[in-house]
Amino acid sequence: MAPKPSPANALYDAMVASTAAKTLDGSHSAETSKSRAKVFFQDNLLRLKVVKRSDDLLPLCQVLMNKQLLRVVKDGERVGYMCRGREEADKLLTLPPDDLMLYTHIEGAGTGGIWSKALKQRTKISQQACTKSLKSLVTKQLCRVEKN
């Protein structure tokens, strides 16, 4: 018999399952692409029935954020969470602080991208550190640099 997953892992698994795409035969694909990413708000998370009380959600979400499996997003005035894939989360856990800070800003910019000058201004890191971090992120296939 398989061991029961921790409540945080059960929450993550339920979130991933609810965003999985239906295939033609009605089965679900575990693929989670950024184009289909779903924002979960507190009411959505409670409907997953992993926890009964809203007070129990925050500690579980914090555990998942510490593991880089969730990220916080703002949708208008509401704050929600989006899932990351386990492989991406594992890569993020190994990043140095500057690289992680840059990645967070790049990820927040979405598909529109962000200029390197804007990254330097927002993160307040030096040109040299920014270039080094961007090279590291590209090498780890977490982002790509496009020339204008």
Side-chain angles (χ1 to χ4, degrees), residues 39-82:
V39 177
F40 290 89
F41 299 103
Q42 181 175 337
D43 54 331
N44 304 119
L45 295 174
L46 287 172
R47 272 189 242 124
L48 295 175
K49 300 194 186 297
V50 174
V51 295
K52 293 179 182 172
R53 299 175 332 136
S54 58
D55 293 346
D56 298 332
L57 274 177
L58 187 58
L60 298 182
C61 290
Q62 186 62 53
V63 167
L64 294 173
M65 286 187 297
N66 292 345
K67 293 179 178 182
Q68 296 296 334
L69 290 168
L70 285 187
R71 70 181 180 113
V72 176
V73 294
K74 190 169 182 184
D75 186 19
E77 293 297 315
R78 298 175 73 190
V79 175
Y81 302 96
M82 289 178 75

Side-chain angles (χ1 to χ4, degrees), residues 102 114-121 123 127 130 134 145:
L102 278 181
I114 187 169
W115 291 93
S116 58
K117 182 177 180 179
L119 274 176
K120 285 180 275 190
Q121 289 173 341
T123 59
Q127 169 72 37
C130 186
L134 281 173
V145 176

